Amino acid sequence: MVFPNRRQVLAGLGGGLLLSTRVRALRAAVPANLETKPKFETSPFQLGVASGDPSSDGFVIWTRLAPAPLSPDAGMTSHRPMLVTWEVGENDTLSHIVCRGQALAHPELGHSVHVEVSGLKPDRPYWYRFRIAGYDSPIGRSHTFPRPGASPARVRFAAAGCQYYEEGYYTAWRRIAEEPIDFVFHYGDYIYENGDSGDGIHQHNGRPFRALRRHVGPECYSLDEYRRRYAQYKTDADLRAAHAAVPWIVTSDDHEVDNNWAGDSDQDGTPAEIFRLRRASAMQAYYEHMPLRLTSLPDGSHMQIYRSLRYGDLMNIFVLDTRQYRSDQVYGDRFAGQGPDVWSPERTMMGNAQEQWLFNGLAHSDTRWNLLAHQVMMMNLAFRKSGHGPVLYSMDQWSGYMYSRRRLLQFIEQNCPGNVVNVTGDAHRHFAGNLAYDADDRRPVSVEFLATSISSGADGAGDNDSFSRSVRRENPHLLATTDQRGYVLCDVGRDVWHADLKVLDRVMERDGRLSTYASFAVERGHPGLQKA
């Protein structure tokens, strides 16, 4: 049995490297104001459990104490730090415990708990739970990754995001929880920051519909408001089931803070110094509710979220951050033609430091595949409104940052051709296509699978709406698109990467029927999608 030492117990960390002076300082002793006899009238584990960021010898396990999640202070009658017991075992009944300890739930972090478990065996499942004051959390299941030098035959994962609570049930999360996968990649928009819609009428592609569920509270600006919004989303049983089923690898997009924010700019023209205050609250709430390592703990309005993970010699995973370091969108962040500003070398999507980190990682990667897991579409997607008029592009996607896009594609082509796959989201539709320098170049450099939303957009319009017809005409590199809810399921072998675009026939009613809209394969060494 592996038991952590005193410092690890008190900090709630099962081990790992001390990466900086700041991280070392955060591994502190028991505070003097520790609550030694916490009491709850009901289980404080209403928000469930989660795990994430797996390594070959461990992962993060998460929970948050919240006996009344939507009430002020989440129903916590004591605002002092508390010790929460955690256990990890080799079977689903936890009758064979391999490590346990205690972690601090700090009130400054909403009484959330992040335990970095280490010392486990590679490439196998583990189960875990938390305990406090006579209450047990649900049991969650996680999985370690293979050792860096191991040669696994395959890895399977689901990519999903955009889960607007008001616009549909989370049936897709229940289906993901049932999939035999190794991890989930969540590309962002875990919450939506806007307040209750008032009359309950939403719009999707010009079609009005009535909201299925309603947000509690106004648009989020303060830490308490963001905390309550995460708590409301996590009250959904299907979402909790997906968290408890497999480890998650997460990144954030815009709605975790504010729609289409970019760097120090929001969509309302708020002064940067003021917007950073809101961003700091949003990032803290995001960290409090995600299974992230201590290295991602926000420092003011900055959060270190780009990082890499390795799955044996099969796949390197590069998780990107295309919000925090990007230049502001041009042309008023409207759909527009690609004027000279989108090609300006003065504008960036990732920032210089992240770009160099990614280029260095790709240049030294020795795995069969490289996954670029990020937020927004990389395809340079052209369309015409109602099928006619000028050609337009999104200024919020990579199509508004063509200099950065070309630099990345050139680096991929020169350093790791034929083994880079992009998995993205944000657009509330499935897209699958090849990535070339421009529309006239039929020579793919890489490929992209963009996962549709979990619920955003309600039931959608299928694949024969005017937008679908327009983008098919204008984009020879686009192979599939549909306006339905669901997720992308990837099955990555040593020589072939398979992807299924999974869709639900409805999300405005429970238990929608799941099917596969389209399937594709990518052969290693030969960039370009093939129908599977």
Side-chain angles (χ1 to χ4, degrees):
M1 223 177 249
V2 178
F3 293 96
N5 62 36
R6 182 175 183 272
R7 176 177 289 275
Q8 292 165 341
V9 167
L10 298 179
L13 303 170
L17 296 176
L18 299 178
L19 298 177
S20 68
T21 301
R22 179 168 177 259
V23 171
R24 285 195 296 270
L26 287 166
R27 296 179 181 233
V30 171
N33 64 335
L34 182 71
E35 176 64 75
T36 57
K37 296 181 179 180
K39 294 181 180 180
F40 304 96
E41 294 183 0
T42 188
S43 173
F45 299 113
Q46 301 294 321
L47 303 183
V49 298
S51 70
D53 274 14
S55 66
S56 61
D57 76 334
F59 36 74
V60 180
I61 58 174
W62 169 94
T63 193
R64 180 189 169 203
L65 305 180
L70 301 186
S71 69
D73 300 315
M76 297 293 289
T77 57
S78 173
H79 299 288
R80 296 161 65 180
M82 302 175 182
L83 283 171
V84 180
T85 299
W86 57 269
E87 298 176 323
V88 175
E90 291 187 336
N91 57 5
D92 58 3
T93 62
L94 289 177
S95 61
H96 185 197
I97 301 296
V98 296
C99 59
R100 63 163 56 96
Q102 288 183 303
L104 277 170
H106 292 280
E108 294 89 344
L109 290 175
H111 286 102
S112 62
V113 178
H114 300 73
V115 180
E116 296 183 24
V117 183
S118 65
L120 303 179
K121 298 174 183 177
D123 197 16
R124 64 145 296 159
Y126 285 92
W127 289 261
Y128 62 93
R129 71 180 164 209
F130 298 89
R131 287 177 163 171
I132 189 172
Y135 290 96
D136 287 1
S137 76
I139 294 175
R141 177 188 180 276
S142 195
H143 204 291
T144 53
F145 276 5
R147 288 193 178 96
S151 296
R154 66 188 344 95
V155 60
R156 301 181 85 248
F157 69 94
C162 287
Q163 51 201 56
Y164 197 169
Y165 185 81
E166 295 193 341
E167 293 191 351
Y169 289 116
Y170 289 170
T171 309
W173 282 128
R174 178 65 62 175
R175 300 295 171 258
I176 289 172
E178 296 165 353
E179 294 276 9
I181 56 177
D182 298 292
F183 66 90
V184 161
F185 166 56
H186 193 292
Y187 61 70
D189 291 350
Y190 191 96
I191 62 162
Y192 280 66
E193 81 288 2
N194 51 290
D196 175 58
S197 52
D199 61 6
I201 302 300
H202 290 215
Q203 294 276 340
H204 179 63
N205 292 338
R207 297 180 296 105
F209 64 94
R210 184 166 295 279
L212 178 70
R213 305 186 283 193
R214 307 293 284 270
H215 280 158
V216 173
E219 183 169 350
C220 300
Y221 287 90
S222 71
L223 177 57
D224 286 342
E225 289 165 343
Y226 281 109
R227 281 173 172 168
R228 181 164 62 173
R229 187 60 50 82
Y230 279 100
Q232 182 177 16
Y233 277 51
K234 285 179 177 287
T235 59
D236 186 277
D238 293 334
L239 176 59
R240 294 199 309 273
H243 271 299
V246 291
W248 284 34
I249 298 170
V250 303
T251 191
S252 63
D253 192 25
D254 55 332
H255 286 290
E256 286 88 352
V257 182
D258 183 45
N259 179 55
N260 283 14
W261 70 278
D264 287 344
S265 302
D266 71 359
Q267 64 179 350
D268 301 315
T270 305
E273 295 80 4
I274 305 302
F275 174 63
R276 283 195 293 268
L277 297 176
R278 181 184 188 181
R279 199 174 78 192
S281 295
M283 289 182 171
Q284 178 173 336
Y286 182 76
Y287 175 81
E288 289 175 355
H289 291 86
M290 295 296 117
L292 288 163
R293 295 183 182 273
L294 188 58
T295 48
S296 291
L297 179 69
D299 186 0
S301 62
H302 175 261
M303 183 176 185
Q304 180 64 45
I305 200 166
Y306 68 81
R307 61 205 189 278
S308 63
L309 303 91
R310 183 181 176 110
Y311 196 88
D313 71 354
L314 181 60
M315 185 169 69
N316 270 322
I317 304 165
F318 297 94
V319 182
L320 307 187
D321 179 348
T322 60
R323 286 289 167 195
Q324 202 168 174
Y325 312 102
R326 71 156 74 182
S327 305
D328 197 9
Q329 298 94 339
V330 294
Y331 309 136
D333 193 17
R334 299 186 301 271
F335 292 103
Q338 289 180 317
D341 291 322
V342 307
W343 296 93
S344 170
E346 303 302 317
R347 301 181 66 254
T348 179
M349 187 59 138
M350 294 188 288
N352 291 334
Q354 181 177 193
E355 183 182 72
Q356 289 306 307
W357 163 83
L358 176 60
F359 287 179
N360 183 66
L362 287 173
H364 291 90
S365 177
D366 59 355
T367 53
R368 302 287 292 177
W369 296 95
N370 293 292
L371 165 62
L372 302 191
H374 46 127
Q375 293 86 352
V376 299
M377 178 183 287
M378 196 169 183
M379 275 181 277
N380 189 29
L381 196 77
F383 74 99
R384 300 176 192 267
K385 286 186 177 179
S386 302
H388 55 79
V391 175
L392 303 176
Y393 299 83
S394 170
M395 294 298 103
D396 187 56
Q397 298 170 351
W398 285 82
S399 51
Y401 300 80
M402 290 297 284
Y403 180 80
S404 290
R405 182 181 184 275
R406 179 169 287 270
R407 279 177 59 86
L408 178 52
L409 289 179
Q410 286 176 335
F411 192 90
I412 290 171
E413 184 176 43
Q414 294 167 9
N415 293 272
C416 39
N419 72 352
V420 175
V421 174
N422 293 264
V423 177
T424 61
D426 182 60
H428 302 176
R429 310 172 63 99
H430 276 312
F431 292 92
N434 295 319
L435 296 177
Y437 290 113
D438 53 59
D440 297 328
D441 190 346
R442 301 302 179 93
R443 180 174 50 90
V445 175
S446 183
V447 300
E448 178 177 13
F449 299 107
L450 189 151
T452 187
S453 60
I454 290 289
S455 59
S456 304
D459 288 337
D463 62 358
N464 198 33
D465 61 314
S466 61
F467 181 82
S468 296
R469 294 192 297 269
S470 175
V471 294
R472 288 194 186 102
R473 284 194 302 268
E474 302 294 336
N475 301 278
H477 52 279
L478 177 66
L479 275 71
T481 185
T482 184
D483 178 19
Q484 291 173 276
R485 313 287 73 83
Y487 54 95
V488 170
L489 182 64
C490 292
D491 188 337
V492 185
R494 298 192 68 78
D495 296 309
V496 179
W497 181 307
H498 289 274
D500 294 332
L501 310 186
K502 295 290 190 177
V503 295
L504 291 160
D505 63 343
R506 64 189 186 277
V507 294
M508 295 295 281
E509 300 175 16
R510 291 199 181 276
D511 301 321
R513 181 176 60 85
L514 184 72
S515 62
T516 299
Y517 173 73
S519 297
F520 295 94
V522 187
E523 185 180 352
R524 184 178 182 274
H526 301 279
L529 295 181
Q530 304 172 33
K531 284 285 184 74

